[in-house]
Amino acid sequence: MSKTTCVAMILAGGQGSRLGALTKKIAKPAVPFGGKYRIIDFPLSNCANSGIDKVGVLTQYRPLELHNYLGTGDAWDLDKSDGGVFILPPYARDKGADWYKGTADAIYQNLNFIDMVDPEYVLVLSGDHIYTMDYAKMLAAHRANKADATIGVFEVPWDEAPRFGIMNTDEKDGRIVEFEEKPAKPKSNLASMGIYIFNRDFLDKYLREDATDDDSSHDFGKNIIPKMLNDKARMYSYAFEGYWKDVGTIESLWQANMDLLQDEPPFSFTSAWTIYSNNPSLPPHYLGKEAKVTCSMLNEGSMIMGEVDHSVLFSGVKIGKGAKVTNSVIMPFTVIEENAVIDHAIVAQNCVISAGAHVAGSEGAIAVVPEGETVTAEQTSMGQQVS
Amino acid sequence: MGNVMGIIRLDGANSMLKELCEHRPVAALPIAGRYRILDFAVSSLVNSGIGHVGVLVSKKARPVFDHLRSGKDWDLARHRDGLAYLPNDGENGNTSALAGLYQNIDFVMRSSAEYVFLVQADTVYNIDFRHILLFHQNTGADITMVYCKAREDLPGEAASMQVAENGKVTDIAKRMTSTKGSNDFMGIYLMRKDTLVKLVTSTFERGGNSMLVDGIIRHMDDFSIYGYEHKGFSTRINSTMAYFNANKAILNPDIWNELFMSEHPIHTKTKDAAPVQYKNTAKVTNSLIGNGCEIYGEVEDSILFRGVRVAEGVKIKDCIIMEQCQIEQYAMLRDVICDKNVVVSEDQWLKGAENYPLIIAKSTVI
């Protein structure tokens, strides 16, 4: 392999259990987002756009659909003869096999991959955030600071700070002086985005030490970062300005989709910073004679005969005559039959909402229809919970 | 169908397509909001299991190269067979498809295929070519020609076929108009490889210029020719009106479903456009909207290709708006075809006629 400056490692093994029914069959990074994409398209596209062309994707929970989706990496221009996407699931060794026990352990178990690529820096990303970011700028800051590690941080509202890992930094140069996991009384509102750049040798040493520590839970936020800080390593924050959203819960996933429908969307899909995705062979969508679509995003292969307002529809969705979809997310190839009513809901892939059925949630209690379900009008009238 | 290869012709009736084909062959004409016409031929071949496709490169081929590239989007970037470009050096100024075939006849001879589909990529359809091969083998024909019933009376180059009840073709006539219900040739031939080689060499070496006229019509008695009727949707793009009407025909949900939503999808060059954004003032009915569009205004009975921006107060009816056009505030368009990258500025009113759409050439700013 040619000399590599920086390799990216995307942690994509998480179950995302707080997404409940949506991640029963697929890993969280494979969850559809934004009418066309899957969550993992964002870090992968960021890598491609930042000029990082060697990307390890660490998978574990329900990896089939994710592996299938990643394929050769060509969707992100990452099908390179000297690099590209490397899928890294747990594997067996001569002394047996181990699952990835934590984020740090996952990287530790793939140090042989990092050795093969032989980079100067390792960029660790998580596969469950929606944002567009130029990692090259962060790497430049890391080098300018002569840092051992740089952590991406994001300003959160003060009242939300207790839910995050908070970095207390030196205001002059952004050097991190203290890290507090979910502090009750935060001293700063700079939250860790779970984006790390490490000098490769520096990271290598800490991961090997951590692996021998039986008391460690082998997690970057809980173990590795505090240990590095404790050792007075040169650790800097890199402040990110822009849209960043953790879509770890049903509510936040719904909200992030709705954010795309604002008059001024949080990021421009038409800018040069393309979000790449697998493109199925489907025609432009068709809006029928009685269709009414406002404040919404629609993808290819859909056929709309009814009414859609303030919603995000993925590819191949059918909305029957007289049906009404509002404030909702409808995932690929779901059929909403005539006169069905959907409001404040996430309807997953390949569902059928039968004629006249109602699926209605509310803000703070978004209704969820899991993949492949059929909701009948009878279920609705009996008031059964579908999620 | 490992023993079958496809050869794509890019030539077509450019003269009646006016400005639309000034810079491109018919095969590369954008259609249905996302595709180029040759996508239908290439995808049908590939979906029928044909993994060896040669493209006879003609004049103005840059959009074709740019579109097909390695053939990857059709699964034709292969170690074995796959996509091949067959250039014609235009020796003695002869740029006909027949001359191109003659010049590349060694490519055909070298192939391990037994049968060849020779396809003119100027027609919209989604066909399973395996049925045609079966028909060809059952009838024992030397040559099978595929036809469909013409959908309407329209001027435009057409070859109409007389077909007997048993499928035998008894007469073929080249005409300058097509009549509703006539058996119009769809530009698809199937024959054995050696038959094609013989037909091409003997026709070209005797001064012939047209495969159909000089090779087949003049030698009807030398071959047993059968006609295979394609009963699904099909329309040949041989005039501006045919192009306009074909696009509007696809607004029929049944035809949209037949062409695009079967188990055999029509593939095209992938682009990474975002989903369409409909704003609160948008009002869109009976239309096809390509990805990457941003819509504030009104659109009715129209086809919008990728990345079109329709500003507030705009009214578009019965139009075809190609990639990356911008229709600015309060502009009104009716019966208009905008080629790629056209800008219609504020308050402009453009109107063609139902039977004579106004064509705005590529990259025009109005």
Side-chain angles (χ1 to χ4, degrees), chain A residues 34 36-37 74 79 269 276-277 279-289 291 294-301 303, chain B residues 32-35 72 251 253 256 260-261 267 271-276 278-280 282 284-289 291:
Chain A
K36 168 170 185 178
Y37 311 94
D74 62 323
D79 52 337
F269 285 107
Y276 299 98
S277 183
N279 289 290
S281 289
L282 290 169
H285 60 254
Y286 172 74
L287 264 53
K289 293 197 165 101
T294 42
C295 290
S296 294
M297 273 174 87
L298 267 66
N299 198 10
E300 290 162 338
M303 181 171 278
Chain B
R34 176 170 189 202
Y35 303 91
K72 190 173 173 206
L251 292 178
W256 183 88
F260 301 116
M261 300 305 280
H267 304 285
K271 292 186 183 171
D272 291 282
V276 179
Y278 291 92
K279 303 296 184 177
N280 58 345
V284 181
T285 49
N286 194 38
S287 295
L288 278 180
I289 312 292
N291 264 6

Side-chain angles (χ1 to χ4, degrees), chain A residues 55-81:
Chain A
V55 181
V57 181
L58 298 101
T59 62
Q60 175 158 283
Y61 172 79
R62 294 232 175 242
L64 177 64
E65 193 161 327
L66 188 55
H67 289 179
N68 185 30
Y69 184 70
L70 294 169
T72 59
D74 62 323
W76 306 270
D77 259 349
L78 289 170
D79 52 337
K80 303 252 172 116
S81 53

Side-chain angles (χ1 to χ4, degrees), chain A residues 19 51 66 99 117 199 217:
Chain A
L19 283 174
L66 188 55
W99 294 112
V117 175
N199 291 344
S217 49

